[in-house]
Amino acid sequence: MPPGQYVTEDFPVLSAGPTPRANLTDWTFTIEGASSGPRRWTWEEFRALPAETLTADIHCVTRWSKLDTRWQGVSVDTLLDQVEFEAAYVLAFCDGGYTTNLPLEAVTGGKAWVAFGYEGAPLAPEHGGPARLLVPDLYLWKSAKWVRGLELRDTDTPGFWEMYGYHNYGDPWREQRYAGD
Amino acid sequence: MAGTAVRGRLTWRPVTAAQVFTETPRVRTIILDVRDWSGHLPGQHVDVRLTAADGYQAERAYSIASAPGEPLALSVERLDDGEVSAYLAGELRPGDQFEIRGPIGGYFVWRGEGPVLLVAGGSGVVPFRAMLRERLRSRLDVPVRMLYSSRNWDEVIYRSELAAPEPGVQVAQTLTRSQPAGWTGYARRVDAAMLADIAWPVSRDPLAFVCGPTPFVEKVAGALTGLGYPPRRVRTERFGGMGGG
């Protein structure tokens, strides 16, 4: 267990505002900032991509950890394979205006997914459904709920919680909760 | 969106419990003696760290119950499985010491905008006390409407303060499980019809804060969206009964 965390059997919810209710017929996932131009998938196209099932521990900055959670999702590697780009950072953007920033290496190499299934069922809206970013190595606010795309960037820019004083990287094992930790 | 409420490194600082008040059978308010407190905004929280004699440490987050400029106060609800709340809302005595760091949070804060709608479930009322006291202390005339849901009368936190609100503040309460004789407030779980009664019309561009257990916040925030509140004007703070923000 990372320092300062405790195990919960629940799945608490942390969000800044109301839970968006997405209409799957309008839903798209977009990669912006690629030299090959923006790449967009509809929900049907996204779900036709090869998906993976994974088991991971997740760690929220509010100190709960949940062990051995099972997810289904499309690896970010699979999505990025379909564009040409040079970037050092990504900014995930979401329904409701939420954003979060990550270095490219935090979401490549089998470390991040766009998850649409949780414990064998479609991901519930309050937990980020229809799809959320899943980056289990980092505090859970980096696993942006209701994700609608990734912007590939040369430079880093703080996302929503990062602007409000949370840590820019958010490694639970180094207890990077707040700026300066 | 501007506002880095946390500046520089947040360091742990020792605090002493100066006074302890019993609010309800499960909730106590602790007035803290803290040196060089940098100040805070209503709605922010602090992290509390307890260290046992054997070095074991446990941390949780608690909303600040006091206005900026007042002695720092936390109101803590004792949870059945809460290792930190069991101490803070149980064994803690005046003179006891522990550590805090903060203030934390820059979104669920009130900077004096209005009109304001506050919707609280249970101990979700704590950050709203900080807002109401700030309104009073700073002589703000922002109109406030508050809807506060508790299970029963014994569990109503800040009962006497809420019984006599300042001019410009309207407080409506609902008791969902049992009501005392002569109760004139609501007597059911918060629903869309109740919010339609209480909430400012959207045309006034209100700012809503909703704080409580996750299912409560999900329901209220969804209902406010249904009434036409833009999602950006509905700020939420959820807790899962686990003491976390």
Side-chain angles (χ1 to χ4, degrees):
Chain A
M1 281 277 287
Q5 298 292 112
Y6 64 92
V7 174
T8 178
E9 302 295 321
D10 298 338
F11 193 168
V13 173
L14 178 66
S15 315
T19 295
R21 307 280 159 175
N23 185 343
L24 291 183
T25 56
D26 303 334
W27 188 93
T28 55
F29 190 89
T30 308
I31 291 180
E32 294 179 355
S35 53
S36 51
R39 180 73 169 89
R40 178 164 298 165
W41 292 266
T42 65
W43 179 255
E44 277 190 7
E45 292 164 345
F46 168 74
R47 290 291 281 103
L49 293 169
E52 300 173 7
T53 299
L54 64 139
T55 301
D57 299 343
I58 53 177
H59 309 290
C60 181
V61 71
T62 63
R63 292 186 177 72
W64 58 265
S65 291
K66 194 168 171 60
L67 308 182
D68 298 326
T69 57
R70 284 175 59 80
W71 300 83
Q72 197 181 12
V74 175
S75 170
V76 171
D77 296 313
T78 302
L79 299 167
L80 292 179
D81 278 348
Q82 300 204 14
V83 296
E84 290 174 23
F85 67 98
E86 276 185 50
Y89 301 93
V90 297
L91 185 70
F93 54 91
C94 308
D95 278 331
Y98 181 80
T99 57
T100 192
N101 57 310
L102 305 106
L104 184 71
E105 64 262 25
V107 297
T108 52
K111 285 183 278 196
W113 294 263
V114 177
F116 55 82
Y118 175 71
E119 300 294 348
L123 183 60
E126 63 267 31
H127 293 307
R132 75 183 296 169
L133 194 63
L134 178 65
V135 192
D137 288 350
L138 302 179
Y139 281 127
L140 205 54
W141 88 80
K142 294 287 186 180
S143 295
K145 295 176 184 181
W146 315 302
V147 69
R148 294 291 296 272
L150 298 174
E151 180 190 347
L152 297 160
R153 298 178 55 92
D154 297 330
T155 55
D156 199 12
T157 186
F160 179 88
W161 290 114
E162 294 83 4
M163 279 203 299
Y164 287 118
Y166 285 80
H167 196 276
N168 199 53
Y169 187 66
D171 180 353
W173 297 96
R174 288 184 280 167
E175 217 175 345
Q176 293 171 336
R177 298 180 194 275
Y178 313 118
D181 277 356
Chain B
M1 295 287 281
T4 43
V6 179
R7 295 178 200 282
R9 184 176 165 78
L10 282 175
T11 52
W12 291 102
R13 58 177 85 216
V15 296
T16 304
Q19 291 173 282
V20 181
F21 299 100
T22 297
E23 303 279 0
T24 76
R26 298 173 69 88
V27 177
R28 299 206 304 181
T29 293
I30 305 160
I31 311 289
L32 298 174
D33 203 348
V34 50
R35 267 196 301 171
D36 305 325
W37 181 244
S38 60
H40 65 274
L41 295 167
Q44 288 189 297
H45 62 272
V46 296
D47 283 353
V48 169
R49 179 163 77 182
L50 304 182
T51 305
D54 63 1
Y56 174 78
Q57 292 186 321
E59 299 174 13
R60 295 292 185 277
Y62 293 100
S63 290
I64 298 170
S66 50
E70 293 184 307
L72 192 67
L74 306 179
S75 295
V76 178
E77 179 178 23
R78 182 165 44 79
L79 304 175
D80 293 334
D81 54 355
E83 56 181 358
V84 176
S85 69
Y87 170 73
L88 293 177
E91 298 130 55
L92 175 118
R93 296 288 173 268
D96 286 358
Q97 291 192 322
F98 54 95
E99 291 172 292
I100 68 168
R101 67 173 184 163
I104 295 157
Y107 186 68
F108 194 84
V109 298
W110 183 52
R111 299 171 192 273
E113 319 94 305
V116 178
L117 173 67
L118 309 175
V119 187
S123 59
V125 73
V126 174
F128 299 156
R129 182 192 191 238
M131 295 181 190
L132 291 175
R133 294 179 76 93
E134 167 63 6
R135 182 185 180 280
L136 174 64
R137 278 178 60 87
S138 295
R139 302 178 190 280
L140 305 172
D141 56 9
V142 180
V144 176
R145 290 182 182 172
M146 180 163 125
L147 176 59
Y148 177 21
S149 175
S150 308
R151 281 180 292 205
N152 56 59
W153 182 242
D154 287 343
E155 293 187 31
V156 176
I157 309 167
Y158 314 134
R159 209 177 306 162
S160 56
E161 288 173 65
L162 295 176
E166 296 297 310
V169 177
Q170 294 174 43
V171 177
Q173 293 199 47
T174 186
L175 300 178
T176 58
R177 289 201 186 160
S178 64
Q179 302 81 32
W183 175 250
T184 56
Y186 293 102
R188 63 181 197 271
R189 286 168 177 262
V190 173
D191 55 26
M194 198 184 298
L195 285 165
D197 284 352
I198 301 295
W200 298 103
V202 176
S203 58
R204 304 231 5 217
D205 192 26
L207 178 61
F209 293 88
V210 186
C211 186
T214 294
F216 177 88
V217 173
E218 285 293 312
K219 188 171 184 183
V220 171
L224 289 174
T225 307
L227 288 173
Y229 276 60
R232 286 177 180 282
R233 299 296 282 175
V234 181
R235 299 182 188 171
T236 63
E237 190 108 296
R238 298 159 166 88
F239 49 82
M242 301 303 296

